Amino acid sequence: MNIEQLRADTPAVAQLIHFNNAGAALMPAPVIETMTRHIQLEASLGGYEAAGRQSADLENVYGTIGRLINAQPDEIAVIENATRAWDMAFYSLPLQPGDVVLTSTTEYAGNYIPYLQMKQRRGIEIRVIPNDEHGQVSLSALTTMLEDDRVALISLPVIATNGGPVQPIEQIGALARSAGVLFLLDACQGVGQMPIDVQKIGCHMLAATSRKYLRGPRGMGFLYVEKSLCQNLEPAFLDLHAAALQSADTFTIRADARRFENWECNVAAKLGLGAAVEYALAQGIEPMWLRIQQLAGYLRQRLLEIPGVTPQDPGLQKSGIVTFTHQNHSAAQVQQWLAGQEKRINVSTSTFRSTLLDMQHRDLLEVSRASVHAYNTEAEIDTMVAALRGLQGV
Ligand SMILES: Cc1ncc(COP(=O)(O)O)c(C=O)c1O
């Protein structure tokens, strides 16, 4: 990879060290330029008129996302964030009382809360797939759990918001397919970081966001729904973009995945998402994934050298999200200390509130989260490690 070019495309790296890519990564220049250009067009032409001028580019966004995840353009809906994209899929499922949803200990609270709501509303049952000895979803436990024909859905994140394992999603997908069970994948922390191919994974639905490893703008995301499934899923919300009023008494719902969208959207951000995906594809997802893993491995190894610091990521395969705890300092103190360095270092704090099951399981209340991207460097990691050593005496 051309790291110098990656960094030249990311001007903020001159002023700060950004290890909050799992929160929101730094946008590369082509994304910023695409969005700025469109906002200027809106200012000079009018919002609708600017969108009209960009209609071909807006249409291309679907094909670009499709290339990223190996899907067709009509299987993609552009939705304002991963949560709402996920909701649109989940709440469209015709779950019945007694239906079972299987999830992982690493599930995101934003997804787990809807399971509970559907448990209360419709009487579904939530079952958590146990982990294997490596801390990832146990495939043998999953195989056994799938013998129950009340299982209607497997739904989990490929990478949790608080790090941990990269789940064996291709094996999970294969098990789901052979059991005839739907598989909804939360790829929020996966897209842009690692190869995500819906054909290989075999997931039926996938939700993702723009601002994290894809390096797109905030307030943007997308949903994939397999074509053969799409027309059988009625979105919980409809508007005049998702559906068409045919008479005073009748309407029809669009056939494609855009039935999960709504009409109004941030057009500059939608174009920005398209530019971010183009940029990621131009870098090459495979080399980026290799570099991210290599940097994260280096960071984990260096963290071991610091007295009082414990790396916290289980899993056979780990991602670019590196988490750790400090014996003498809270995650908020670590975050504040690093932000106050001469060259600001951005890390974040992940608490039990976003991944309750996993944190309870591992007896943790919070972790510091340093999430690396391909544009980060070993030298930046060394700077952070030195700064953390400095925290010892404070
Ligand atoms: C695993 C996971 N799923 C879902 C989300 C929600 O994404 P968004 O904030 O785009 O709705 C996050 C955000 O941190 C996440 O880490």
Side-chain angles (χ1 to χ4, degrees), residues 23-36:
L26 297 173
M27 290 183 285
V31 173
I32 299 164
E33 282 155 18
T34 299
M35 292 177 67
T36 312

Side-chain angles (χ1 to χ4, degrees), residues 102-264:
L102 300 183
T103 189
S104 60
T105 57
T106 56
E107 184 56 293
Y108 184 64
N111 302 343
Y112 196 84
I113 291 165
Y115 303 148
L116 287 176
Q117 189 186 38
M118 290 305 264
K119 183 179 172 180
Q120 286 172 8
R121 268 195 198 165
R122 287 208 200 149
I124 67 159
E125 202 185 309
I126 309 160
R127 291 186 193 157
V128 180
I129 312 161
N131 291 330
D132 66 12
E133 68 275 25
H134 306 292
Q136 63 183 32
V137 161
S138 161
L139 295 170
S140 62
L142 175 59
T143 307
T144 309
M145 291 170 100
L146 283 170
E147 283 166 13
D148 186 337
D149 59 16
R150 286 174 302 166
V151 175
L153 177 71
I154 302 172
S155 173
L156 47 82
V158 53
I159 299 169
T161 198
N162 63 337
V166 178
Q167 299 290 5
I169 46 175
E170 288 187 19
Q171 290 94 320
I172 295 171
L175 289 173
R177 291 270 164 181
S178 65
V181 166
L182 292 177
F183 181 18
L184 167 55
L185 181 66
D186 175 348
C188 192
Q189 298 289 2
V191 289
Q193 174 167 196
M194 60 179 283
I196 294 284
D197 179 325
V198 292
Q199 308 303 329
K200 281 194 187 149
I201 299 165
C203 56
H204 301 85
M205 299 154 282
L206 174 152
T209 209
S210 146
R211 72 184 182 284
K212 298 181 187 288
Y213 276 87
L214 267 181
R215 306 184 62 192
R218 296 196 64 176
M220 224 351 100
F222 67 86
L223 174 69
Y224 155 81
V225 180
E226 187 184 81
K227 197 179 295 198
S228 59
L229 180 66
C230 199
Q231 290 188 40
N232 300 327
L233 297 184
E234 185 178 319
F237 302 112
L238 288 172
D239 76 346
L240 77 181
H241 165 80
L245 199 55
Q246 302 295 354
S247 73
D249 296 315
T250 54
F251 64 90
T252 50
I253 308 177
R254 292 181 69 121
D256 61 14
R258 292 185 215 184
R259 59 171 46 200
F260 297 101
E261 294 183 344
N262 54 75
W263 187 80
E264 173 57 358

